[in-house]
Amino acid sequence: MSPTTDAAVSPLMADGGADAAETEAATKNLVFIAAERLFALHGFQNVSVRDITAAAGVNLASVNYHFGSKDALLFEIFRRRTAELNRERARMLHEANDRHQGKPPVREVLAALLTPPLRWLAPDHERRISLQFLIRARSEGTDDIRQVLKTDVSHLRRFSDALLSARPDLSPEEVYWRLHFTLGMLHNNRFAEFDRLNVLSEGTTSEADVVALLARMLAFAEAGFATR
Amino acid sequence: MSPTTDAAVSPLMADGGADAAETEAATKNLVFIAAERLFALHGFQNVSVRDITAAAGVNLASVNYHFGSKDALLFEIFRRRTAELNRERARMLHEANDRHQGKPPVREVLAALLTPPLRWLAPDHERRISLQFLIRARSEGTDDIRQVLKTDVSHLRRFSDALLSARPDLSPEEVYWRLHFTLGMLHNNRFAEFDRLNVLSEGTTSEADVVALLARMLAFAEAGFATR
DNA sequence: AGGGAAGTCTTACGGGCGTTCGAATTTGGC
DNA sequence: GCCAAATTCGAACGCCCGTAAGACTTCCCT
């Protein structure tokens, strides 16, 4: 009866699938996409199952049929997007390792951490809304999501390890704190924060230029890591 | 009938009032304190009026009688705590101006911005829960709250102006971005993020030592501002 | 062509929510 | 000590929510 067990959503990205996926008209994907968008824009609690199914143009019962519950839907979106983002980060870290005989400098480790999410932030990127979803889910998430965040920790550890060996002169706790600060900079990139920044700067800042933003953020974080 | 107009909550801190306030047994204050705590711990949407009044030991109707609505209660807590925090920041910035003939260096401006909230973060500080409330409200807030955040912008401008004149060699947008980064570091100090950091570092980091945390954060941000 | 599984639709149920109302009670000025 | 205003209280209303049940339709395999 209920296909809440996975293996559905079949043709959605074989692995590192690029774009053109998710265009299948299957109801499950329509729900997935609509829910991700609405959650990202308005928050989990402010979006009802009726909102989602109406936006997706499908029947009310679809969410419970295909995902089991509203919570499970949120969880699956979060799980899939997190895995996708972390895959890109891991690949960049791996490449940095290859380039520097397993001991990449701080800048390259930070680049591997920050570049994928900031790429997603580009106005024309297909994952722009996914990044907003992830940022929001991180702070508003349910209990289920904290379980995924523990997996996320084991992923993060690869970056903290790389930073530790790039700066063996620093105490480990100092490195952990600086990583924490860097992640704070990253997770602050919500639409609402950009709005406030735009008001403050009277429109001179534009988050649309994500290449410039990445360069600025990398320079800031690298300088923060370089002290003492 | 309804005393939702201010001027109640009378004896709560004359101005820079220290502690020992808020111990009055008035129902309105009991609701205020209980709501702030519950909102900070569980989020606005996850706390019901019944939760608040039960925790405060008062009648269910108290919230609507004293504040008008649940939304208005949230708004008043946010407004009061924001004003309180910004007052401390403004005072520190003013003192820094006095010490440096109106041109304080970057470090002192950042200290004025970061020190008050990080002081509130201390385990035994009476405003510890208020800071968690503010951080949470900033990202989960209702539409009313964004109006307050615009006032907050005009307050922030004093700091951005100080930074601009401390670093006239930088382009204004660069300064705005670095301020944005710094605020991201600050707003990332939620309990949940500390938990993740503790897991990652296997318990070697402790957010209890807020003096050390402030020193680390200031050093990181100052280094980020010092480049080029 | 048939039949069973998979998916979709309509409908409704039970529950928690914010809010309100009117009565009961307390408070404070004279 | 009295009366009016302020506050507290118990109870209920109406709404929207997530979810489930059951009938119906579509699709595919033989």
Side-chain angles (χ1 to χ4, degrees), chain B residues 3-43:
Chain B
T4 58
T5 55
D6 243 345
V9 198
S10 351
L12 203 138
M13 50 181 45
D15 189 17
D19 41 353
E22 289 181 0
T23 54
E24 193 199 16
T27 298
K28 186 169 183 178
N29 277 343
L30 290 176
V31 168
F32 186 98
I33 300 301
E36 179 182 39
R37 173 181 168 81
L38 289 176
F39 287 162
L41 291 177
H42 308 111

Side-chain angles (χ1 to χ4, degrees), chain B residues 82-98 109 111-114 116-117 155-156 158-159:
Chain B
T82 298
E84 197 176 343
L85 180 61
N86 285 349
R87 213 179 307 131
E88 293 191 21
R89 284 169 155 171
R91 177 157 27 91
M92 278 197 71
L93 181 61
H94 186 74
E95 292 170 359
N97 270 319
D98 288 348
V109 179
L113 189 67
L114 301 180
H155 165 261
L156 248 193
R158 286 187 268 184
F159 289 86

Side-chain angles (χ1 to χ4, degrees), chain A residues 158-211:
Chain A
R158 287 188 268 184
F159 289 86
S160 62
D161 286 347
L163 291 170
L164 284 168
S165 64
R167 290 298 306 271
D169 53 316
L170 291 177
S171 75
E173 32 172 332
E174 182 67 38
V175 172
Y176 288 125
W177 276 114
R178 293 183 185 185
L179 176 57
H180 171 75
F181 297 153
T182 305
L183 290 173
M185 295 168 50
L186 175 65
H187 296 151
N188 199 36
N189 287 337
R190 270 162 283 141
F191 290 152
E193 294 293 330
F194 286 146
D195 287 346
R196 195 175 60 131
L197 179 62
N198 282 331
V199 172
L200 181 66
S201 72
E202 285 160 338
T204 64
T205 54
S206 91
E207 76 271 16
D209 189 353
V210 291
V211 177

Side-chain angles (χ1 to χ4, degrees), chain B residues 146-205:
Chain B
R146 318 208 170 176
Q147 187 181 350
V148 178
L149 284 180
K150 287 184 180 174
T151 306
D152 199 38
V153 161
S154 80
H155 165 261
L156 248 193
R157 203 181 301 279
R158 286 187 268 184
F159 289 86
S160 62
D161 286 346
L163 290 170
L164 284 167
S165 64
R167 290 298 306 272
D169 54 316
L170 291 177
S171 76
E173 30 172 336
E174 182 67 38
V175 172
Y176 289 125
W177 276 114
R178 294 183 185 185
L179 176 57
H180 171 74
F181 297 153
T182 305
L183 291 173
M185 295 169 50
L186 176 65
H187 296 152
N188 198 37
N189 287 335
R190 271 162 282 140
F191 289 153
E193 295 293 330
F194 285 147
D195 287 346
R196 197 175 60 129
L197 179 63
N198 282 330
V199 172
L200 181 66
S201 72
E202 287 160 337
T204 64
T205 54

Side-chain angles (χ1 to χ4, degrees), chain A residues 45-46 157 174 200 216, chain B residues 45-46 157 174 200 216:
Chain A
Q45 309 258 21
N46 297 314
R157 204 181 301 278
E174 182 67 38
L200 181 66
R216 288 188 213 276
Chain B
Q45 309 258 23
N46 298 314
R157 203 181 301 279
E174 182 67 38
L200 181 66
R216 289 188 213 274

Side-chain angles (χ1 to χ4, degrees), chain A residues 134-141 146 190, chain B residues 136 139-140 190:
Chain A
L134 283 177
I135 292 177
R136 209 185 249 271
R138 177 173 294 276
S139 55
E140 302 178 24
R146 316 208 171 177
R190 270 162 283 141
Chain B
R136 209 184 250 271
S139 55
E140 302 177 24
R190 271 162 282 140

